[in-house]
Amino acid sequence: MIYFLLLANKQGKIRLSKWYQNFTKKQKTKLQKEVVSLCLSRSQRSCNFIEWNDYKIIYRRYASLYFMICCDTEDNELIGLEIIHHFVEILDKYFGSVCELDIIFNFQKAYNVLDEVIIDGKLQDSSKKSILRSVGTQDFLILNAPETGTLNL
Amino acid sequence: MSLKLHDLITKVRESSTTSSTREIISQECVQIRNAFRKEDTKNRPRNISKLIYIDFLGFPTDFGQVECLKLIAQPSYVCKRIGYLGLSVLLTENEEVLFMSTNIIRSDLASENKFIVALALSSLGNIGSVEMLRDLAPEVEKLLKSQAAYIRKKAALTAIRTIRFVPETVDRFVGCVKSLLSDKNHGVVLGGLQLLVEILKIEPKTISEFRKLVPGLLRMLKSLVDAGYAPEYDFEGVTDPFLQVYILKLLRILGQDSKKYSNQMIDILTQVGTSSGLNKNVENCILYESVSTILTIDSPNRLRVTAINTLSKFLTGKDNNMKYVALNTLLKGVNKDSKSLKRHRKVIVKCLRDKDISIRRRALDLVFGIMNKKNVKELTQELLDCLPKAEHDFRFDITAKVCTAIERFSPDDQWQIDTLVQVLTIGGQYIRDDVIAIMTHVTGRNRGLQYYASKKLYNSLLDDRYRNQKFIQVAAWVIGEFGDILLKKSIEENEPIDPSQIIDLCQIIITSSRNEDLTKYFVLNTLIKLSTRIEGYNEPIKEIIKPFMKHVNIEIQQRACEYFRLFEDKELLVFSFDRIPVKDDNLETQKIEEIEENSNQNRNTNTKVQENSNNQLSPNNNNNQNKNKQEENELNLMGSNINISQNQTQESSSIENLLQLDFSNNNNQNVNKQTTNTQNQQSNQSTEDFLSDIFGTNNNPNRSVNNTQNIQNNNIQNVMDLLGTGKGNGTGMGRGNGFGMGKGNGTGMGRGNGAGMERGNGTGMGRGNGTGMGRGNGTGMGRGNGIGMGRGNVNSQKKNPSAVIYNQDGLKIQMNFKLVSVNGTPAAMIQSTFTNSTQTQMTGLFFQVAVPKHLQVQMAPPSSKIIPPNNNGKVTQTFRIIKKQNIKTKLTMMTRIQFKINGMPISKQQEVKNLPLIF
């Protein structure tokens, strides 16, 4: 069970955060700070798991971006890494070699992809293809909706 | 003209300072607010998108919450998508607004457009509150049978949240699992597997039913393992590792504690668990999961050995992740596979020195796991070697483990002392408080080592007089306790120590401003004890103590005064500071059990009484909450230790022996008899075998002394005290606390009010005090002596007031009040008695009390939930009210009583005023 997912860059700026437990805004800011600074302070050769309170942070670095998830201690840490990787690969295919800017400017799309990969902290599908297919269809729906013209996001 | 989202982001990114960012955002917020006010529907999606971004930057966005609801209420998919995103980002805190979305979500769940259904399902699954999930559970159940796999997989995950938050809906979903698991779509099966795991967590009884699924799961796993290249589910040559891992995880739960089903799994586990792997993370995670499963279920020995060997391969590899998971998993096999683990000891120990803290932590746990009497010396040494280099936090963990090892696996007493001294000297400031209990225990038990220990500590103390506080405290205690032995034997051993050397050392420590006050308490005690142990040094000791009678710390001042006064009464002095009796090991275990039981009960009370507000992660997480509670509990217990050192709990039958042993001198025996007499008188007065506190009622000025002795009449055979954690030492009984051990009865008595002198009962509290007792012993009493003078105005409340607060429908509630003191704060102990005069029994009794803000109420559970009819017996419930602020008022409270009579629920609420207790 994933309690929250964070995406931050090397400078510690949060680029994406998704919470599967109810937290107040204050708590969120506090947790974010704590977790991000924990992950950023790790040396590259350390393992990708940090024990933190009664939870476990599993993180992985992709170029300048850190992906972090907070799990139960008894969860399989390696599959946690795989889930992160799964998500990253989907983002990569969706945006076409994803970079930090893609996520900054298209955060709604990134959230949308995330909703297709994880619901309530649980993995939804193991097939990248089917996820990309449904995300693609949804974008198509938006593109062709009559309101989109006036929306001009 | 409103800004586009893209432009806003660019603008914010271009702004160089935080203040300019703030300005941009506040301008934008004004515009958005205006647009909302004008009901600008056209720009609403854009405005919400911008708000999401603004929220992201950490600015307040509360005003957009209702607009999100308006957006999702629009029929168009575009609006809904942004609206739902807004819902999940902006609204999580505000459950009331969130709840307003229930009906919109309900209609979206019934939509014909599967993407709209999916949006509604995802947000229900991600952020749904208890009420929403309860309301929408039927819809979720319906969607589990939807035509589209896309919806089914989402519905399965939403169902998990539903049962997680609303466990009573679990029955609804139990029936659907089977069809989910036989689905063709991997996503749906994944959802089904995770749902089943959750169901088994909530409803463990269903396991026998679900075990029937094992053969099907095994077939599925086998087909995945044997499958060739499957493009859609291929992960670096492995077919759907996620599905494999989740199946293995489920098998682990189903196979646990069942020989039959475990056997069925062996073949496939052998196949998966022995595959090579070790190169790719994907392979490793399956291997890792299968090893966990092998170690958890009832699998044959050879398989377990292979599994452990696989893990040790992980350990020797270079990949730190693998090391970590291996250490983590090996812990699971500690009990059953200690033999095969032994071979890997070296590797494990090596991990203690790893650079990575995560790995070291795991290694520490594991090293402790494989510890036994044979290897304890070696492994403890390893741990101690790591100590100086470890990080601050980690040192606490290491010392805690070392202490437990010393306590639990010690091969001999001398080693125990050596190691204790070693851990104290290198990690003193990181050590937990009960180290002194271990030391007292071992030195008390083994007379031959008393000299050894005191000599060793004395020598180390010469080197460190102010750095390591915990070490100085322990050393001071031991030297004080065994000062005479130290001196006598040192002469025999031809390395004589001059008594004045010891006293000088004490003086240096106690006068040094670098030492903590707590340490000074200990040293004061050492000095006063030495005065009874060594002849002819009373005057120098008095001289040392004298200046402390004006010390700024009230506790030190008080002690100094008390001790100084004690010099006037030699007999009493000797009596008070005689050697602590030896603690009985057997009793210890018995007591630990008792304490555990008590603290469990205490925990229950805590659960009811205390709201847990500092829970860091979330109110929904039980684990965390329990943990916190436990901590609180520990805190309580620790707090109580402080009291206990002032107490003495004795068995009345053993008291005479004890005293005889203590007083060889005739004069002293007189005193002793007098004391015992007083005790007896008092015990006679108390008809119940509660502990009774004895209050010295003598008028003789020399004996205007209060003895706080709690005598317990049941068969607990020893006397314990111990300076315990120290804080409360030596206060004497003016504020001593009574304490009951076996029964869990006890009362605190306040310094200011003499109420303390009464016989105590009051369950709730006695229980809270549980642990300390195990540690408490003899000295407390001595210290108690001689002080109480003039302090408490005795027994002004001999008769505890009582009042009938409720007498209706045949139910009578009577309350007995008693003033007590909890850690120095005044409190009222209230025992409420429920009797039933009707013909039928009353069930489901639930009694609640609320008090004004300056008070705090803590309730123990009632003795029963059923009140027998015809006044045949009574139910009691004890609670206490603690004063948080010092306001003197008549006690008032609000009570609510709920019970059922003939199945008819009755609930009454009333305010209770004019209670006969000024508080």
Side-chain angles (χ1 to χ4, degrees):
Chain A
M1 161 93 203
I2 298 169
Y3 293 98
F4 55 82
L5 177 143
L6 297 177
L7 209 167
N9 68 5
K10 233 170 29 182
Q11 285 75 39
K13 275 222 157 95
I14 303 284
R15 292 302 179 207
L16 205 70
S17 67
K18 185 85 183 173
W19 307 82
Y20 299 106
Q21 285 281 357
N22 293 342
F23 297 101
T24 62
K25 216 168 181 175
K26 235 184 176 171
Q27 285 173 320
K28 282 183 189 174
T29 333
K30 190 173 159 254
L31 294 177
Q32 273 177 2
K33 257 194 196 149
E34 224 174 286
V35 172
V36 171
S37 67
L38 263 179
C39 291
L40 293 182
S41 64
R42 303 269 298 173
S43 80
Q44 268 193 324
R45 289 210 48 208
S46 309
C47 67
N48 297 55
F49 321 118
I50 309 170
E51 282 159 27
W52 175 72
N53 298 341
D54 283 344
Y55 301 87
K56 195 170 277 177
I57 309 289
I58 301 172
Y59 72 96
R60 195 159 179 174
R61 186 180 161 178
Y62 291 86
S64 65
L65 281 178
Y66 281 81
F67 288 74
M68 297 154 258
I69 54 177
C70 169
C71 295
D72 279 320
T73 38
E74 68 266 24
D75 284 355
N76 183 331
E77 298 87 1
L78 300 178
I79 206 77
L81 281 180
E82 266 326 293
I83 291 177
I84 294 178
H85 192 62
H86 189 54
F87 177 48
V88 173
E89 282 196 323
I90 291 169
L91 281 181
D92 199 53
K93 284 209 174 121
Y94 178 69
F95 286 110
S97 82
V98 66
C99 68
E100 197 180 335
L101 281 181
D102 287 327
I103 294 171
I104 297 173
F105 283 100
N106 298 294
F107 63 88
Q108 304 129 301
K109 286 183 179 168
Y111 273 121
N112 198 39
V113 173
L114 184 56
D115 275 350
E116 292 295 326
V117 182
I118 297 167
I119 287 185
D120 191 27
K122 307 224 155 59
L123 184 71
Q124 201 181 135
D125 205 332
S126 44
S127 159
K128 293 184 195 81
K129 213 168 150 191
S130 90
I131 290 173
L132 286 167
R133 207 184 305 133
S134 54
V135 179
T137 327
Q138 289 168 45
D139 285 349
F140 182 76
L141 271 179
I142 294 222
L143 218 64
N144 291 321
E147 305 93 329
T148 314
T150 58
L151 264 178
N152 198 3
L153 288 172
Chain B
M1 179 59 206
S2 86
L3 218 59
K4 287 183 193 173
L5 172 65
H6 192 279
D7 297 341
L8 175 67
I9 298 175
T10 323
K11 216 171 156 186
V12 169
R13 281 175 61 78
E14 278 166 1
S15 73
S16 47
T17 58
T18 33
S19 64
S20 60
T21 316
R22 193 168 294 136
E23 202 171 309
I24 298 169
I25 297 297
S26 63
Q27 275 175 9
E28 198 54 45
C29 281
V30 171
Q31 290 223 345
I32 296 173
R33 258 177 221 266
N34 285 336
F36 286 158
R37 204 171 301 130
K38 284 181 207 147
E39 289 290 320
D40 180 358
T41 38
K42 198 181 119 199
N43 281 321
R44 197 183 275 146
R46 177 192 285 174
N47 285 334
I48 292 293
S49 313
K50 280 194 278 193
L51 267 188
I52 296 170
Y53 179 69
I54 290 169
D55 184 85
F56 214 61
L57 297 174
F59 294 91
T61 49
D62 301 346
F63 58 91
Q65 293 181 345
V66 180
E67 298 296 312
C68 290
L69 292 183
K70 288 182 187 161
L71 260 190
I72 58 170
Q74 303 274 324
S76 98
Y77 175 73
V78 183
C79 292
K80 277 188 195 296
R81 182 156 136 177
I82 294 168
Y84 275 116
L85 181 58
L87 212 61
S88 70
V89 176
L90 306 179
L91 234 76
T92 42
E93 267 177 72
N94 194 335
E95 295 211 346
E96 276 168 34
V97 183
L98 193 59
F99 185 66
M100 281 155 61
S101 66
T102 314
N103 279 329
I104 310 172
I105 293 181
R106 193 196 307 275
S107 67
D108 282 351
L109 288 177
S111 165
E112 280 175 12
N113 182 339
K114 73 171 179 178
F115 291 109
I116 291 181
V117 180
L119 273 180
L121 260 183
S122 318
S123 48
L124 184 63
N126 284 335
I127 55 164
S129 66
V130 177
E131 289 82 12
M132 292 164 77
L133 290 162
R134 185 182 290 126
D135 281 8
L136 297 173
E139 274 78 5
V140 175
E141 186 195 354
K142 219 185 285 165
L143 290 172
L144 279 174
K145 295 167 189 122
S146 154
Q147 293 286 316
Y150 179 64
I151 298 300
R152 286 200 300 274
K153 70 179 183 191
K154 283 181 193 287
L157 298 184
T158 310
I160 299 177
R161 189 178 177 96
T162 312
I163 59 171
R164 207 153 59 87
F165 280 63
V166 200
E168 62 263 30
T169 54
V170 69
D171 298 337
R172 207 178 264 286
F173 299 106
V174 168
C176 315
V177 174
K178 221 173 160 182
S179 67
L180 289 175
L181 290 184
S182 49
D183 207 288
K184 274 183 195 145
N185 184 297
H186 283 206
V188 181
V189 181
L190 264 181
L193 290 168
Q194 296 178 80
L195 177 60
L196 182 47
V197 171
E198 201 65 36
I199 289 177
L200 290 172
K201 229 185 259 173
I202 290 165
E203 200 69 77
K205 277 180 277 172
T206 51
I207 195 163
S208 53
E209 182 58 33
F210 286 122
R211 277 192 172 133
K212 291 176 193 151
L213 298 173
V214 169
L217 289 168
L218 291 171
R219 268 199 304 279
M220 201 189 323
L221 183 59
K222 183 134 182 71
S223 70
L224 286 170
V225 175
D226 296 339
Y229 178 69
E232 195 166 350
Y233 297 107
D234 182 67
F235 289 76
E236 301 174 48
V238 180
T239 310
D240 206 338
F242 296 108
L243 201 50
Q244 293 196 37
V245 165
Y246 285 112
I247 295 175
L248 282 166
K249 186 176 176 187
L250 181 60
L251 288 177
R252 177 161 73 231
I253 299 168
L254 294 176
Q256 204 172 1
D257 306 321
S258 160
K259 186 85 194 158
K260 182 182 159 198
Y261 289 99
S262 295
N263 281 340
Q264 294 183 9
M265 298 172 193
I266 288 171
D267 282 346
I268 185 85
L269 286 176
T270 318
Q271 188 184 348
V272 181
T274 50
S275 69
S276 54
L278 290 178
N279 295 319
K280 296 176 202 152
N281 186 48
V282 199
E283 287 170 351
N284 287 337
C285 58
I286 297 171
L287 200 55
Y288 168 44
E289 195 71 34
S290 66
V291 166
S292 310
T293 304
I294 291 169
L295 292 179
T296 314
I297 65 167
D298 195 351
S299 45
N301 219 14
R302 64 177 167 80
L303 198 56
R304 301 182 75 91
V305 174
T306 353
I308 289 195
N309 288 341
T310 313
L311 289 175
S312 75
K313 253 188 260 166
F314 281 12
L315 268 187
T316 44
K318 276 186 185 160
D319 188 348
N320 270 346
N321 286 349
M322 306 312 295
K323 270 191 203 168
Y324 177 86
V325 295
L327 289 169
N328 206 5
T329 322
L330 281 172
L331 258 180
K332 289 183 192 162
V334 157
N335 296 329
K336 283 189 190 168
D337 309 285
S338 49
K339 264 188 198 166
S340 34
L341 260 173
K342 254 184 217 156
R343 277 188 281 145
H344 308 300
R345 202 174 77 195
K346 270 198 180 144
V347 192
I348 297 167
V349 169
K350 208 175 146 199
C351 291
L352 273 177
R353 297 169 197 281
D354 200 283
K355 276 188 188 146
D356 189 342
I357 177 79
S358 298
I359 291 180
R360 267 180 289 148
R361 266 185 214 286
R362 286 292 117 226
L364 175 66
D365 283 350
L366 194 57
V367 165
F368 185 66
I370 58 175
M371 213 177 259
N372 56 34
K373 281 205 170 172
K374 280 183 201 155
N375 60 18
V376 66
K377 285 188 180 175
E378 196 181 325
L379 291 179
T380 315
Q381 198 51 49
E382 291 284 351
L383 293 181
L384 286 173
D385 290 347
C386 301
L387 192 55
K389 287 177 219 149
E391 288 93 339
H392 182 76
D393 285 355
F394 195 47
R395 289 190 191 179
F396 283 100
D397 297 339
I398 297 180
T399 53
K401 289 280 191 288
V402 171
C403 285
T404 322
I406 292 171
E407 249 181 321
R408 210 182 288 172
F409 304 113
S410 165
D412 58 72
D413 287 347
Q414 184 165 351
W415 176 83
Q416 213 168 3
I417 291 173
D418 285 341
T419 324
L420 267 177
V421 174
Q422 204 181 349
V423 70
L424 271 169
T425 38
I426 35 183
Q429 53 270 63
Y430 304 101
I431 221 158
R432 54 176 210 224
D433 283 345
D434 63 346
V435 60
I436 193 166
I438 309 173
M439 186 54 107
T440 329
H441 189 180
V442 61
T443 47
R445 187 178 57 201
N446 194 330
R447 287 186 181 272
L449 285 172
Q450 285 166 355
Y451 169 68
Y452 179 79
S454 47
K455 180 80 195 297
K456 199 171 168 88
L457 284 164
Y458 175 71
N459 285 339
S460 321
L461 194 59
L462 287 172
D463 299 334
D464 177 6
R465 294 161 199 178
Y466 43 78
R467 269 196 306 276
N468 196 334
Q469 300 295 313
K470 203 59 71 53
F471 161 73
I472 298 174
Q473 289 159 16
V474 175
W477 188 87
V478 172
I479 291 170
E481 192 65 21
F482 306 113
D484 47 341
I485 298 175
L486 174 64
L487 292 173
K488 217 162 76 194
K489 280 243 183 144
S490 70
I491 295 167
E492 285 169 20
E493 309 250 323
N494 276 333
E495 335 171 301
I497 299 170
D498 190 51
S500 59
Q501 282 177 327
I502 301 182
I503 291 166
D504 287 349
L505 182 61
C506 288
Q507 190 174 13
I508 292 170
I509 295 170
I510 200 167
T511 47
S512 162
S513 57
R514 294 166 77 172
N515 282 325
E516 285 172 7
D517 287 343
L518 184 60
T519 310
K520 294 183 181 173
Y521 305 163
F522 274 87
V523 180
L524 266 178
N525 282 351
T526 308
L527 283 168
I528 190 88
K529 278 187 190 167
L530 285 176
S531 75
T532 68
R533 308 271 196 275
I534 315 170
E535 286 288 316
Y537 281 89
N538 277 7
E539 284 313 311
I541 289 174
K542 259 169 123 175
E543 281 308 305
I544 301 174
I545 291 179
K546 209 171 176 182
F548 288 93
M549 289 164 72
K550 290 175 187 163
H551 195 272
V552 67
N553 180 306
I554 190 98
E555 177 80 36
I556 294 182
Q557 192 187 93
Q558 188 186 353
R559 273 178 207 222
C561 291
E562 288 161 4
Y563 293 168
F564 201 76
R565 190 69 192 272
L566 268 175
F567 279 114
E568 288 169 20
D569 188 340
K570 274 278 163 56
E571 294 155 5
L572 195 60
L573 182 69
V574 173
F575 170 74
S576 306
F577 293 102
D578 205 42
R579 190 147 303 147
I580 286 172
V582 182
K583 204 161 74 170
D584 184 342
D585 276 351
N586 296 334
L587 244 148
E588 179 78 340
T589 22
Q590 180 192 336
K591 212 141 305 139
I592 286 169
E593 279 158 22
E594 245 165 52
I595 288 159
E596 270 164 11
E597 186 190 315
N598 285 340
S599 61
N600 278 342
Q601 279 161 346
N602 194 26
R603 194 165 310 157
N604 291 342
T605 345
N606 272 348
T607 326
K608 280 186 190 159
V609 173
Q610 278 163 330
E611 250 185 41
N612 208 326
S613 55
N614 53 1
N615 193 342
Q616 233 195 345
L617 258 182
S618 94
N620 298 322
N621 195 296
N622 285 332
N623 280 339
N624 198 11
Q625 238 176 6
N626 284 340
K627 172 98 195 280
N628 273 356
K629 247 164 233 150
Q630 221 166 332
E631 275 166 11
E632 252 166 47
N633 227 358
E634 277 163 15
L635 275 180
N636 281 348
L637 293 176
M638 270 190 205
S640 57
N641 285 346
I642 293 169
N643 300 332
I644 285 137
S645 48
Q646 300 157 8
N647 303 327
Q648 190 188 25
T649 321
Q650 284 189 346
E651 195 210 2
S652 60
S653 63
S654 72
I655 203 163
E656 279 195 1
N657 292 337
L658 240 170
L659 293 174
Q660 270 162 16
L661 196 134
D662 290 343
F663 300 91
S664 44
N665 170 320
N666 277 338
N667 289 336
N668 283 346
Q669 254 176 5
N670 285 339
V671 180
N672 154 22
K673 266 177 202 155
Q674 275 178 18
T675 330
T676 342
N677 284 343
T678 347
Q679 282 163 359
N680 287 343
Q681 279 168 18
Q682 294 274 332
S683 325
N684 290 343
Q685 278 172 14
S686 67
T687 44
E688 291 152 293
D689 63 353
F690 281 144
L691 41 124
S692 51
D693 301 323
I694 287 144
F695 192 69
T697 43
N698 276 322
N699 289 327
N700 182 341
N702 282 337
R703 310 257 308 114
S704 67
V705 159
N706 306 323
N707 299 331
T708 331
Q709 292 189 348
N710 308 319
I711 298 165
Q712 202 183 14
N713 292 333
N714 61 24
N715 293 328
I716 289 181
Q717 267 234 349
N718 72 352
V719 181
M720 353 200 95
D721 140 298
L722 213 280
L723 302 198
T725 50
K727 271 193 188 143
N729 290 344
T731 4
M733 38 99 41
R735 51 191 271 208
N737 286 7
F739 198 78
M741 194 168 192
K743 293 244 159 146
N745 299 325
T747 321
M749 16 205 137
R751 196 193 249 211
N753 57 12
M757 310 311 141
E758 294 168 7
R759 173 162 48 79
N761 61 1
T763 9
M765 206 174 135
R767 275 184 197 145
N769 289 345
T771 359
M773 192 182 81
R775 307 224 191 94
N777 78 0
T779 7
M781 165 181 126
R783 265 184 259 120
N785 290 343
I787 315 144
M789 347 175 170
R791 239 194 225 138
N793 53 355
V794 199
N795 302 352
S796 56
Q797 303 230 350
K798 197 103 203 180
K799 279 185 188 166
N800 296 325
S802 69
V804 176
I805 61 142
Y806 184 89
N807 198 352
Q808 275 179 50
D809 309 319
L811 177 71
K812 187 173 153 190
I813 307 174
Q814 182 167 5
M815 286 189 174
N816 286 313
F817 303 91
K818 179 185 293 173
L819 279 177
V820 292
S821 152
V822 182
N823 300 336
T825 3
M829 203 74 188
I830 302 170
Q831 189 177 42
S832 37
T833 315
F834 304 82
T835 45
N836 173 6
S837 58
T838 58
Q839 308 285 321
T840 40
Q841 68 172 15
M842 294 171 175
T843 56
L845 174 70
F846 185 53
F847 181 60
Q848 286 173 298
V849 174
V851 288
K853 270 187 185 157
H854 68 278
L855 302 173
Q856 185 192 8
V857 64
Q858 299 183 342
M859 290 188 91
S863 59
S864 159
K865 288 209 157 189
I866 298 164
I867 318 174
N870 302 327
N871 289 331
N872 272 336
K874 57 184 184 179
V875 172
T876 57
Q877 182 167 20
T878 315
F879 58 99
R880 66 176 180 185
I881 296 178
I882 301 172
K883 219 168 174 177
K884 286 198 295 191
Q885 289 160 23
N886 199 14
I887 305 170
K888 197 163 185 179
T889 46
K890 275 215 153 190
L891 180 62
T892 53
M893 54 190 167
M894 200 67 182
T895 58
R896 183 196 282 161
I897 175 93
Q898 290 172 318
F899 58 93
K900 282 182 186 164
I901 186 160
N902 288 329
M904 268 263 296
I906 297 177
S907 171
K908 286 271 165 66
Q909 195 169 331
Q910 68 172 20
E911 191 178 359
V912 184
K913 276 183 189 167
N914 298 328
L915 288 170
L917 184 72
I918 294 193
F919 188 51

